[in-house]
Amino acid sequence: DGGITQSPKYLFRKEGQNVTLSCEQNLNHDAMYWYRQDPGQGLRLIYYSQIVNDFQKGDIAEGYSVSREKKESFPLTVTSAQKNPTAFYLCASIDGGLAHTGELFFGEGSRLTVL
Amino acid sequence: SQKIEQNSEALNIQEGKTATLTCNYTNYSPAYLQWYRQDPGRGPVFLLLIRENEKEKRKERLKVTFDTTLKQSLFHITASQPADSATYLCALSDGGYQKVTFGIGTKLQVIP
């Protein structure tokens, strides 16, 4: 079955450590997104990529980095510069071209806890 | 900046009744308004989308209305069931690959 796979589902890290969250999709979608979800707040966009080897900052990109070397993969690195990294991270993708209506397909999320 | 408001308080209703959730937005004229369902610890799942030139959209027991004058969408679940208990997210977009902006969601609890 096609879908988006995020790993790991749970991750613990010590302060000062970088950590990379994996996101892989086999939906053949062009665009991929990373959102962060915190209690009492809506999903906030970190980075997005519309095409391989290109990506743009979202609303809260500081302390994060991404790469898009393959269409299927969009890993997110949470760096030590991110002041409040403990959160639920969601990867998503969009089907179709610019005429598409823009509904998102989400992965199951990765919960990062900084100890 | 654009802002989406959903009732942050949980909505409790009796099984079989119609649940109505509200989404209000400001400083934005979206081309599309979307509703998603999210279960605890899971990723959101797309439910329905309505375009700016549509007044109402239905899918099985779900109905969405979109009033661009009031800048409001109502999401209805008829004949609600305990399995409908979840958090429902409202989202706005301009389509294509443009950013999708989310509200905080409303938690719905359907009581047997």
Side-chain angles (χ1 to χ4, degrees), chain B residues 7-20:
Chain B
N7 189 348
S8 59
E9 295 181 7
L11 176 64
N12 297 318
I13 66 165
Q14 207 69 36
E15 182 177 4
K17 302 292 186 182
T18 295
T20 299

Side-chain angles (χ1 to χ4, degrees), chain B residues 80-94:
Chain B
S80 60
Q81 305 166 1
D84 295 325
S85 299
T87 295
Y88 291 86
L89 307 175
C90 170
L92 308 178
S93 72
D94 286 326

